[in-house]
Amino acid sequence: MHQEATPVEGDLSEAVSVFVELRPRLFGIAYRVLGSAVEAEDVVQEVWVRWQRTDRTLVISPVAFLSSTTTRLAINVAQSARVRRETYIGPWLPEPVDTSNDPEVGAERAEALELALLLVLQRLSPTERAAYVLREAFDYAYPDIARILGLSPVNVRKIVSRARKHLTEDQRDSVDANDHRMLLQTFVAAARQGDVAGLEALLTPDAVSLSDGNGIRGAARVPVLGRARVANLSTAHRRFWPTVETEPVEANGRGGILIHRDGRPATFMTVAATSRGIHQVMWVFNPDKIAAFLRSRTRHHSALAGVSERATGAACQARGGKVSPGGGSRSATCRD
């Protein structure tokens, strides 16, 4: 176990530099394992606290230490989250995140990022999920994954192989981002026009619609199955589409639609599709997840500012100074 160390300003400055450089990877690991940007942020924050308190002179590889800490904390959170989600009302969907200007989520590789795949990942155990994410999304070597998870390289290879096969079978041949965006736009246009036949032409026979509202009024509490039912559901509220405005967004590396009611974002929707058509329609009504999506647009800059401010405070207190908190565009400062 690494010992705790008293923060020293120069040393802490270097620690901040290392952490900021690796933060995109850490957030990417935690988010893919958890399917929640809020929970991933909490994990990364805890990793920073531990990194700050660790005797870093004993750390041979910062990337190995921080990646291991992130993965293990994410697994712990995932295990407790599984229990919490047993009381969730209706289908649960991962929190969408805006990836149009966020370098953190799509850092390094875009694998295991699409919303539909994140949902399938939740069927795996937290350890299986972590092994798959580390290998497929971040290209960690099997021996490194084994050390992080406390398993043998042989077991890790088996776990990743099983997960890959399971996920590949479920995901089938997803369309590329451009085709996905065109299908989504066509779907929304047909839904707005009440064109049930047009929607059915876009959907596969086994299409499913999932509405994540955690009990909120208007959200279906069970999956809606079948081409005809999904098409009818998407046009059922004839007074819905004329009263809302739609905003195209990029979420999880794919196109999405943010639906505004009375000038405020109220719903997020996207689809999953193959060359055979749209096989999954996903609606997020949960206000907390909509709020998390909106925060994800500015998370990168605010998170880094937070790390810098906390580092300033720790170093300042270590030498007996007083911290003057920042505000607006100002950073925290130290008065001796």
Side-chain angles (χ1 to χ4, degrees), residues 12-79:
L12 203 54
S13 176
E14 182 181 350
V16 170
S17 178
V18 170
F19 187 81
V20 166
E21 180 182 355
L22 294 175
R23 195 182 193 284
R25 180 185 303 194
L26 307 182
F27 181 86
I29 291 171
Y31 175 69
R32 286 165 170 84
V33 171
L34 296 167
S36 165
V38 172
E39 291 175 348
E41 284 288 1
D42 289 343
V43 166
V44 174
Q45 171 60 25
E46 177 61 24
V47 173
W48 161 245
V49 170
R50 296 190 182 196
W51 177 238
Q52 180 181 331
R53 294 175 177 174
T54 295
D55 184 351
R56 292 176 294 277
T57 62
L58 302 178
V59 177
I60 299 173
S61 171
V63 64
F65 174 86
L66 292 170
S67 297
S68 297
T69 305
T70 299
T71 303
R72 290 165 185 165
L73 286 173
I75 289 174
N76 290 341
V77 173
Q79 289 169 338

Side-chain angles (χ1 to χ4, degrees), residues 242-317:
T243 62
V244 299
E245 296 181 353
T246 58
E247 175 192 356
V249 294
E250 180 184 308
N252 298 69
R254 295 279 169 142
I257 297 293
L258 194 59
I259 299 173
H260 298 253
R261 179 181 288 278
D262 298 328
R264 299 194 305 178
T267 308
F268 169 86
M269 70 88 58
T270 190
V271 300
T274 69
S275 58
R276 291 177 290 282
I278 295 172
H279 61 87
Q280 196 171 55
V281 182
M282 292 165 280
W283 305 82
V284 177
F285 296 94
N286 188 325
D288 292 336
K289 294 187 178 183
I290 298 299
F293 176 79
L294 298 176
R295 286 196 302 272
S296 73
R297 293 178 161 183
T298 58
R299 182 184 59 250
H300 177 66
H301 300 294
S302 61
L304 297 189
V307 168
S308 178
E309 184 158 321
R310 285 185 292 272
T312 298
C316 181
Q317 291 171 6

Side-chain angles (χ1 to χ4, degrees), residues 183-199 202 230-248 257-261 269 283:
L183 281 169
L184 175 63
Q185 292 171 350
T186 305
F187 181 94
V188 172
R192 296 198 73 141
Q193 293 167 12
D195 183 2
V196 175
L199 287 174
L202 294 171
V230 173
N232 280 306
L233 174 69
S234 301
T235 58
H237 303 291
R238 296 189 179 277
R239 289 180 294 179
F240 171 74
W241 289 108
T243 62
V244 299
E245 296 181 353
T246 58
E247 175 192 356
I257 297 293
L258 194 59
I259 299 173
H260 298 253
R261 179 181 288 278
M269 70 88 58
W283 305 82

Side-chain angles (χ1 to χ4, degrees), residues 3-273:
Q3 300 176 354
E4 291 192 0
T6 302
V8 178
E9 188 168 13
D11 175 55
L12 203 54
S13 176
E14 182 181 350
V16 170
S17 178
V18 170
F19 187 81
V20 166
E21 180 182 355
L22 294 175
R23 195 182 193 284
R25 180 185 303 194
L26 307 182
F27 181 86
I29 291 171
Y31 175 69
R32 286 165 170 84
V33 171
L34 296 167
S36 165
V38 172
E39 291 175 348
E41 284 288 1
D42 289 343
V43 166
V44 174
Q45 171 60 25
E46 177 61 24
V47 173
W48 161 245
V49 170
R50 296 190 182 196
W51 177 238
Q52 180 181 331
R53 294 175 177 174
T54 295
D55 184 351
R56 292 176 294 277
T57 62
L58 302 178
V59 177
I60 299 173
S61 171
V63 64
F65 174 86
L66 292 170
S67 297
S68 297
T69 305
T70 299
T71 303
R72 290 165 185 165
L73 286 173
I75 289 174
N76 290 341
V77 173
Q79 289 169 338
S80 62
R82 175 168 291 184
V83 176
R84 293 197 306 274
R85 289 171 191 168
E86 289 177 357
T87 61
Y88 202 83
I89 302 173
W92 178 93
L93 292 172
E95 286 178 4
V97 288
D98 189 309
T99 50
S100 59
N101 60 359
D102 188 343
E104 295 199 354
V105 183
E108 301 191 29
R109 300 175 69 183
E111 276 81 354
L113 180 59
E114 190 178 347
L115 208 65
L117 180 56
L118 285 177
L119 180 60
V120 178
L121 271 173
Q122 297 298 312
R123 300 177 190 172
L124 305 178
S125 73
T127 298
E128 290 173 331
R129 218 179 301 162
Y132 178 85
V133 165
L134 290 172
R135 180 61 185 173
E136 296 299 307
F138 295 93
D139 203 27
Y140 278 68
Y142 287 110
D144 294 334
I145 300 173
R147 281 191 290 272
I148 291 172
L149 300 179
L151 302 171
S152 72
V154 173
N155 282 344
V156 169
R157 284 182 180 275
K158 290 180 179 178
I159 289 172
V160 173
S161 178
R162 286 197 303 268
R164 188 186 292 130
K165 181 179 180 181
H166 176 73
L167 296 173
T168 299
E169 288 176 350
D170 196 275
Q171 284 302 101
R172 295 168 284 186
D173 53 331
S174 295
V175 297
D176 64 26
N178 288 330
D179 288 342
H180 178 275
R181 187 174 294 104
M182 290 181 61
L183 281 169
L184 175 63
Q185 292 171 350
T186 305
F187 181 94
V188 172
R192 296 198 73 141
Q193 293 167 12
D195 183 2
V196 175
L199 287 174
E200 288 188 5
L202 294 171
L203 296 163
T204 62
D206 61 346
V208 58
S209 176
L210 301 171
S211 299
D212 180 330
N214 196 20
I216 194 171
R217 185 177 179 182
R221 298 192 178 189
V222 295
V224 176
L225 306 174
R227 172 187 282 158
R229 290 183 176 181
V230 173
N232 280 306
L233 174 69
S234 301
T235 58
H237 303 291
R238 296 189 179 277
R239 289 180 294 179
F240 171 74
W241 289 108
T243 62
V244 299
E245 296 181 353
T246 58
E247 175 192 356
V249 294
E250 180 184 308
N252 298 69
R254 295 279 169 142
I257 297 293
L258 194 59
I259 299 173
H260 298 253
R261 179 181 288 278
D262 298 328
R264 299 194 305 178
T267 308
F268 169 86
M269 70 88 58
T270 190
V271 300

